[in-house]
Amino acid sequence: MKSKYHQLKKRCFEANLQLPQLDLVIQTFGNVSVVDRENSCFAIKPSGVPYPELKAEDIVIVDFNNQVIDGDMNPSSDTKTHAYLYTKWNTIGSIVHTHSAYAVAWSQAQMGIPILGTTHADHLVQDIPCVPPMRDELIKGDYEHNTGIQIVEWFSENALDPLEVEMVLVGSHGPFIWGKDADSAVYNANVLEELAKMAYLTLQISPQAERLKASLIAKHFQRKHGSNAYYGQK
Amino acid sequence: MKSKYHQLKKRCFEANLQLPQLDLVIQTFGNVSVVDRENSCFAIKPSGVPYPELKAEDIVIVDFNNQVIDGDMNPSSDTKTHAYLYTKWNTIGSIVHTHSAYAVAWSQAQMGIPILGTTHADHLVQDIPCVPPMRDELIKGDYEHNTGIQIVEWFSENALDPLEVEMVLVGSHGPFIWGKDADSAVYNANVLEELAKMAYLTLQISPQAERLKASLIAKHFQRKHGSNAYYGQK
Amino acid sequence: MKSKYHQLKKRCFEANLQLPQLDLVIQTFGNVSVVDRENSCFAIKPSGVPYPELKAEDIVIVDFNNQVIDGDMNPSSDTKTHAYLYTKWNTIGSIVHTHSAYAVAWSQAQMGIPILGTTHADHLVQDIPCVPPMRDELIKGDYEHNTGIQIVEWFSENALDPLEVEMVLVGSHGPFIWGKDADSAVYNANVLEELAKMAYLTLQISPQAERLKASLIAKHFQRKHGSNAYYGQK
Amino acid sequence: MKSKYHQLKKRCFEANLQLPQLDLVIQTFGNVSVVDRENSCFAIKPSGVPYPELKAEDIVIVDFNNQVIDGDMNPSSDTKTHAYLYTKWNTIGSIVHTHSAYAVAWSQAQMGIPILGTTHADHLVQDIPCVPPMRDELIKGDYEHNTGIQIVEWFSENALDPLEVEMVLVGSHGPFIWGKDADSAVYNANVLEELAKMAYLTLQISPQAERLKASLIAKHFQRKHGSNAYYGQK
């Protein structure tokens, strides 16, 4: 008999499979989750399973208290971070975590990714933020839960809106990315890696390259996201 | 019933599909247009459609006043730039816009790509020009139309001929590339990204690498483009 | 009639085929061996055979004294290094040798790969060691055997445990990687190349990037390897 | 009726197809030739033909005076360089010319590729030489013929043996590579690009990285090429 979460698992499964296809992960790295707001739960990749072996029925369903409510496998070790973000940010529908190389490099350098061009501005109008590494007492505690807290607090303290900035680097670790649904979140994960690579190359060519000027930031963002947006089909 | 622009749409569709195959775009980035001089219109990719979902009948036909004359979807948000270039430069048959990483990096560094070797000279005898970012009042105006104006004016002021220099970087943004037909324009887009990568690597190895000397520039260009050209099959 | 080592050869063959698929080798570079502790022998790639031409029956079976006991071809020229490591370290089940580009670059720079982030700490809690190039008299002697001696002595002198540090760079040469079985060893070879690339990019972005702090090293390693490990499906 | 050069064309065709598969060329770049010493001629790629459109019967047969003796298309514009090398070096059986990015970058930097590790020493015991750009009067003359002269003279003046050093960078241009047959020449072209990339990465990590020490150079070369060679299957 099919699980009542069959469709949710399938969406989550297909989103996870995109990560290796887009060269955002190797081996067992990374994970995608998809939320079901009505049932207050989310689907997430099981921990440590290589993508070629992953099956839709392996996807684990977890509630917002991190309890497995459907599925035979252990959920991703990053599950508590996903749960915390879903709890605090009720506008997001899916979360992606990768260890894609350029995004990780900026995380390991503990630097946000500066907005250097219109490719960046088409997606967000700020630098991609980098949350500093956690304080030691939090690391020793409930680490993945506290990673969620750190991200949410950083957004709050810096007046960032998760609807406008759909990605973050966790210092010394790597990126978390989200979106209104699984396709958007995976799209954003792909865009982040590309922006991280472009910023890397730009600063290698010209270390003193300057941030995109305000008028161009505003223009590119508005054509995709403003009230008179004319990018896309709606 | 097939559109009278069926063949034009098909050519444009196939050219667009080459962009992801050549790793020049991710997701929905970039676009190719193909002009029909007889009917004073051009075919262009619809805005924001992922390449794997694109169909030939989705291609939009637009006239030189940016009016859609055939097709159900919104044309690319860069349509006005294409229209302006077709209007001013009646020798070009197709335009490509990408956000390929190395070309974008040079654009974000606001630097032209110096001619450092014969691979470059086989295609053009100047640095690949980089048009500076637009003045604020133009950005706030008809931005994509003004991008076209900037490119054409830059070529005019710098005595560049669009038949000889078939590519340009728009500062802080990325490349526009063209050619006599869709195959040539896509070929040039691929060459540009390769030249951008080669110049990047060269200057990382040797920051003081010098421009190709004049005699080699002349020789390599003439064997492909001079009156006694002996490259290729005609 | 099938060799009694048929299954062992097959496992070794399949592991070798993964190296080009994971972009860890070109042409004939690299090799994987798999040990059979019960029969005191190991299977290894034949020397100089391109991967597309390799067949399972080409795999050579060698004993711990480097004698071929089954197979028609010459074993890898690195065979004596494999044999020595199997003899001294009876916990390892498979060894991989590649010339993957980023790992080789660190080897050629004669530098260990610093632990800069949690991707690294998920796998080992030290820098990836780099054994200095051999003394001249050892090179002139039994070179591949002596390479094994050098690796084992370096681990001993630096109190490194081959169960905890499953990879090493040999200065001026390249990496050797191992694991409890062929899948683990190939997994580790893939991870090493990714860590080598991430560390490279990080230090290009920020030459003064610091090592991961101790609390994060401990946390990430424990969640995968500690007594309360919660990563994976066991 | 099949050309008497049918087999020669087929070998040359298949070798050419390997170049895009190994990511050594884009579009129409590069070419492979294969010599027929008995008939004093060689097969070479026609000029400017994209690889996906190339057919075995398109391959052109040229004699050592650069005259087409079989085939309907124009031979590669680099034909005279190939002819000169075949004439002067009667030990070589095939020549490859690519514009692979890392090899071109070293050529554009006008620097030889230093021998930094054993991957390099497995193939040659010197730096990969870079011939300086041609003098202007030679460029204006019979350019491709003179490129051949420059390469041969450089080897002669620097006491390099084309049997031991099977590759060269032409300054400001790119690499020429050869071997005893087409497979060897293509193999060497692939190895060159990998060595060029490894040397690039090494010097980015550590600009003061030193050349491989003499004892290791000798050892690695001898195990592949010495009288007691034990690499490979013969």
Side-chain angles (χ1 to χ4, degrees):
Chain A
M1 204 187 68
K2 277 184 186 165
S3 155
K4 72 179 270 200
Y5 299 107
H6 175 69
Q7 283 303 322
L8 182 64
K9 287 184 180 184
K10 187 156 174 289
R11 282 207 307 280
C12 180
F13 167 68
E14 288 169 355
N16 272 286
L17 286 200
Q18 286 191 57
L19 299 191
Q21 285 166 10
L22 295 168
D23 280 330
L24 298 175
V25 294
I26 62 161
Q27 299 290 343
T28 60
F29 290 17
N31 45 73
V32 184
S33 69
V34 184
V35 81
D36 176 347
R37 293 282 173 195
E38 204 170 311
N39 292 297
S40 298
C41 64
F42 59 98
I44 193 163
K45 181 176 180 289
S47 184
V49 177
Y51 291 89
E53 299 175 14
L54 189 64
K55 296 188 293 292
E57 56 265 35
D58 296 339
I59 299 296
V60 188
I61 306 295
V62 184
D63 69 19
F64 292 159
N65 296 315
N66 304 303
Q67 301 305 306
V68 173
I69 57 174
D70 185 301
D72 300 323
M73 305 187 87
N74 299 334
S76 162
S77 55
D78 297 302
T79 295
K80 288 182 178 178
T81 310
H82 292 243
Y84 190 82
L85 296 181
Y86 284 130
T87 309
K88 292 296 172 184
W89 291 343
N90 57 24
T91 54
I92 67 178
S94 176
I95 299 170
V96 176
H97 175 51
T98 78
H99 285 228
S100 61
Y102 286 91
V104 164
W106 285 97
S107 304
Q108 293 189 156
Q110 298 182 25
M111 293 167 64
I113 302 175
I115 178 166
L116 296 172
T118 63
T119 322
H120 190 128
D122 281 337
H123 297 93
L124 71 166
V125 296
Q126 283 99 349
D127 294 357
I128 296 166
C130 181
V131 179
M134 217 176 269
R135 293 197 314 278
D136 286 357
E137 60 272 29
L138 294 178
I139 292 170
K140 287 172 189 157
D142 199 351
Y143 175 58
E144 290 81 7
H145 181 76
N146 291 340
T147 298
I149 292 179
Q150 275 226 316
I151 294 172
V152 171
E153 285 186 350
W154 188 263
F155 268 60
S156 173
E157 287 163 11
N158 292 277
L160 299 171
D161 179 343
L163 277 174
E164 289 178 3
V165 177
E166 298 183 307
M167 52 192 72
V168 68
L169 305 178
V170 175
S172 302
H173 184 166
F176 285 84
I177 309 102
W178 51 88
K180 67 181 195 304
D181 55 26
D183 280 348
S184 298
V186 171
Y187 171 93
N188 286 337
N190 196 0
V191 166
L192 166 59
E193 182 64 3
E194 197 75 3
L195 295 177
K197 181 179 181 181
M198 287 171 172
Y200 172 86
L201 295 174
T202 302
L203 292 171
Q204 293 287 314
I205 293 172
S206 174
Q208 69 278 23
E210 291 186 2
R211 276 186 173 65
L212 188 63
K213 62 181 184 169
S215 54
L216 273 170
I217 292 178
K219 185 68 186 188
H220 269 259
F221 194 72
Q222 284 162 11
R223 55 179 219 163
K224 251 192 171 167
H225 301 281
S227 56
N228 295 313
Y230 50 95
Y231 182 91
Q233 295 302 329
K234 192 193 28 52
Chain B
M1 204 186 67
K2 277 183 187 164
S3 155
K4 73 179 268 200
Y5 299 107
H6 175 69
Q7 284 302 321
L8 182 65
K9 287 184 180 184
K10 188 155 173 291
R11 281 206 307 283
C12 180
F13 167 69
E14 288 169 356
N16 273 286
L17 287 200
Q18 286 191 58
L19 299 191
Q21 285 166 11
L22 295 169
D23 281 330
L24 298 174
V25 295
I26 62 162
Q27 299 290 344
T28 60
F29 290 17
N31 46 73
V32 184
S33 68
V34 184
V35 82
D36 176 346
R37 292 282 173 196
E38 204 170 311
N39 291 298
S40 298
C41 64
F42 59 99
I44 193 163
K45 180 177 180 288
S47 185
V49 176
Y51 291 90
E53 298 174 14
L54 188 65
K55 296 186 295 291
E57 56 265 36
D58 296 339
I59 299 295
V60 187
I61 307 295
V62 184
D63 69 18
F64 293 159
N65 296 317
N66 304 304
Q67 300 305 307
V68 173
I69 58 176
D70 185 300
D72 301 323
M73 304 187 86
N74 298 334
S76 162
S77 55
D78 298 302
T79 293
K80 289 182 179 178
T81 309
H82 291 243
Y84 190 82
L85 296 180
Y86 284 129
T87 307
K88 291 297 172 183
W89 292 343
N90 57 24
T91 56
I92 67 177
S94 177
I95 299 171
V96 177
H97 174 52
T98 78
H99 284 228
S100 61
Y102 286 92
V104 165
W106 285 97
S107 304
Q108 293 187 158
Q110 298 183 26
M111 293 167 63
I113 301 175
I115 179 167
L116 296 173
T118 63
T119 321
H120 190 129
D122 282 337
H123 297 93
L124 72 165
V125 297
Q126 284 99 348
D127 293 357
I128 296 166
C130 181
V131 179
M134 216 176 269
R135 292 197 315 277
D136 287 358
E137 59 272 29
L138 294 177
I139 292 169
K140 286 172 190 159
D142 198 351
Y143 174 59
E144 289 81 8
H145 181 77
N146 291 341
T147 299
I149 292 179
Q150 275 227 315
I151 293 171
V152 171
E153 285 186 350
W154 188 264
F155 268 59
S156 173
E157 287 163 13
N158 292 276
L160 299 172
D161 179 344
L163 277 174
E164 289 177 3
V165 177
E166 299 184 307
M167 51 191 75
V168 69
L169 306 178
V170 175
S172 302
H173 184 168
F176 285 84
I177 308 103
W178 51 88
K180 68 181 194 304
D181 55 26
D183 279 349
S184 299
V186 171
Y187 171 93
N188 287 336
N190 197 0
V191 167
L192 166 59
E193 181 65 2
E194 197 76 2
L195 296 177
K197 181 179 180 180
M198 288 171 172
Y200 172 86
L201 295 174
T202 303
L203 292 171
Q204 293 287 314
I205 292 172
S206 174
Q208 69 277 23
E210 291 187 1
R211 275 186 175 65
L212 188 64
K213 61 181 186 169
S215 56
L216 273 171
I217 292 179
K219 185 69 186 186
H220 268 260
F221 194 73
Q222 285 162 10
R223 55 178 221 165
K224 254 192 169 166
H225 300 282
S227 57
N228 295 313
Y230 51 96
Y231 182 91
Q233 296 301 328
K234 195 188 26 53
Chain C
M1 204 186 68
K2 276 184 188 165
S3 156
K4 72 179 271 200
Y5 299 107
H6 175 69
Q7 283 303 322
L8 182 65
K9 286 185 179 182
K10 188 158 174 286
R11 282 207 306 282
C12 179
F13 167 69
E14 288 169 356
N16 273 286
L17 287 200
Q18 286 191 55
L19 299 191
Q21 285 166 11
L22 295 169
D23 280 330
L24 298 175
V25 296
I26 62 162
Q27 299 290 344
T28 60
F29 291 18
N31 45 73
V32 184
S33 69
V34 184
V35 81
D36 176 345
R37 293 282 173 195
E38 206 171 310
N39 292 298
S40 298
C41 65
F42 59 97
I44 192 165
K45 182 176 179 289
S47 185
V49 177
Y51 291 88
E53 299 175 14
L54 188 65
K55 296 187 294 293
E57 54 267 34
D58 296 339
I59 299 295
V60 188
I61 307 295
V62 184
D63 70 18
F64 293 159
N65 296 315
N66 304 303
Q67 301 304 306
V68 173
I69 57 174
D70 186 300
D72 301 322
M73 306 188 86
N74 298 334
S76 163
S77 55
D78 298 303
T79 294
K80 288 182 178 178
T81 310
H82 291 242
Y84 190 82
L85 296 181
Y86 285 129
T87 308
K88 291 297 172 184
W89 292 343
N90 57 23
T91 54
I92 66 176
S94 177
I95 298 171
V96 176
H97 174 51
T98 78
H99 285 228
S100 61
Y102 286 91
V104 164
W106 285 97
S107 304
Q108 293 188 158
Q110 299 182 25
M111 293 167 64
I113 302 175
I115 179 167
L116 297 172
T118 63
T119 321
H120 190 128
D122 281 337
H123 297 93
L124 73 165
V125 296
Q126 283 98 350
D127 292 358
I128 296 167
C130 182
V131 179
M134 217 176 267
R135 293 197 314 279
D136 287 357
E137 59 272 30
L138 293 178
I139 292 169
K140 287 171 189 159
D142 199 351
Y143 174 59
E144 290 82 7
H145 181 76
N146 292 340
T147 299
I149 293 179
Q150 276 228 315
I151 293 171
V152 171
E153 285 186 350
W154 188 263
F155 268 60
S156 173
E157 288 163 12
N158 291 277
L160 298 171
D161 179 345
L163 278 173
E164 289 178 4
V165 177
E166 299 184 308
M167 51 191 74
V168 68
L169 305 178
V170 175
S172 300
H173 184 168
F176 285 84
I177 308 102
W178 51 87
K180 67 180 195 303
D181 55 26
D183 280 349
S184 298
V186 171
Y187 171 93
N188 287 336
N190 196 359
V191 167
L192 166 59
E193 181 65 3
E194 197 76 4
L195 296 177
K197 181 178 180 181
M198 287 171 172
Y200 171 86
L201 295 174
T202 303
L203 292 171
Q204 293 287 314
I205 293 172
S206 174
Q208 69 277 22
E210 292 186 1
R211 277 187 173 64
L212 189 63
K213 61 182 184 168
S215 54
L216 273 171
I217 292 178
K219 185 68 187 188
H220 268 260
F221 194 71
Q222 284 162 12
R223 56 178 219 166
K224 251 193 171 167
H225 301 281
S227 56
N228 296 313
Y230 50 95
Y231 182 91
Q233 296 300 328
K234 183 217 38 56
Chain D
M1 203 188 66
K2 275 182 188 166
S3 157
K4 73 179 268 200
Y5 299 106
H6 176 68
Q7 284 302 322
L8 183 64
K9 286 185 179 182
K10 187 158 174 287
R11 281 206 307 282
C12 180
F13 168 67
E14 288 169 356
N16 273 287
L17 286 201
Q18 286 191 56
L19 299 191
Q21 285 166 11
L22 295 169
D23 280 329
L24 299 174
V25 295
I26 63 162
Q27 299 290 344
T28 61
F29 291 17
N31 46 73
V32 184
S33 69
V34 184
V35 81
D36 176 346
R37 292 283 173 194
E38 206 170 311
N39 292 297
S40 298
C41 65
F42 59 97
I44 192 164
K45 181 176 180 288
S47 185
V49 177
Y51 291 89
E53 297 175 15
L54 189 64
K55 295 186 294 291
E57 56 265 35
D58 295 340
I59 299 295
V60 188
I61 307 294
V62 184
D63 70 17
F64 293 159
N65 296 315
N66 303 304
Q67 300 305 307
V68 173
I69 57 175
D70 187 300
D72 301 323
M73 304 187 87
N74 298 335
S76 163
S77 55
D78 298 302
T79 294
K80 289 182 178 178
T81 310
H82 291 244
Y84 191 82
L85 296 181
Y86 285 129
T87 307
K88 292 296 172 184
W89 292 342
N90 57 25
T91 55
I92 66 175
S94 176
I95 298 171
V96 177
H97 175 52
T98 78
H99 284 227
S100 61
Y102 285 92
V104 165
W106 285 96
S107 305
Q108 294 188 157
Q110 299 183 26
M111 294 168 64
I113 302 175
I115 179 166
L116 297 173
T118 64
T119 321
H120 190 129
D122 281 338
H123 297 92
L124 72 165
V125 297
Q126 283 98 351
D127 293 357
I128 296 166
C130 181
V131 178
M134 216 177 269
R135 293 196 315 276
D136 286 358
E137 59 274 28
L138 294 178
I139 292 169
K140 286 172 190 158
D142 200 350
Y143 174 59
E144 290 82 8
H145 181 75
N146 292 340
T147 299
I149 293 179
Q150 276 227 312
I151 293 171
V152 171
E153 285 186 350
W154 188 262
F155 269 59
S156 173
E157 288 163 12
N158 292 277
L160 298 172
D161 180 344
L163 278 174
E164 290 177 4
V165 177
E166 299 183 309
M167 51 191 73
V168 68
L169 305 178
V170 175
S172 301
H173 184 168
F176 285 84
I177 309 103
W178 51 87
K180 66 181 194 305
D181 56 24
D183 280 349
S184 299
V186 172
Y187 171 93
N188 287 336
N190 196 0
V191 166
L192 167 59
E193 181 64 4
E194 196 76 2
L195 295 177
K197 181 179 180 181
M198 286 171 173
Y200 172 86
L201 295 174
T202 303
L203 292 171
Q204 293 287 314
I205 292 172
S206 173
Q208 69 277 21
E210 291 186 1
R211 277 187 174 65
L212 188 63
K213 62 181 184 169
S215 54
L216 273 171
I217 291 178
K219 185 68 188 187
H220 268 260
F221 194 71
Q222 286 162 11
R223 55 178 222 167
K224 253 194 169 165
H225 301 282
S227 57
N228 296 312
Y230 50 95
Y231 182 92
Q233 296 300 328
K234 193 193 28 52

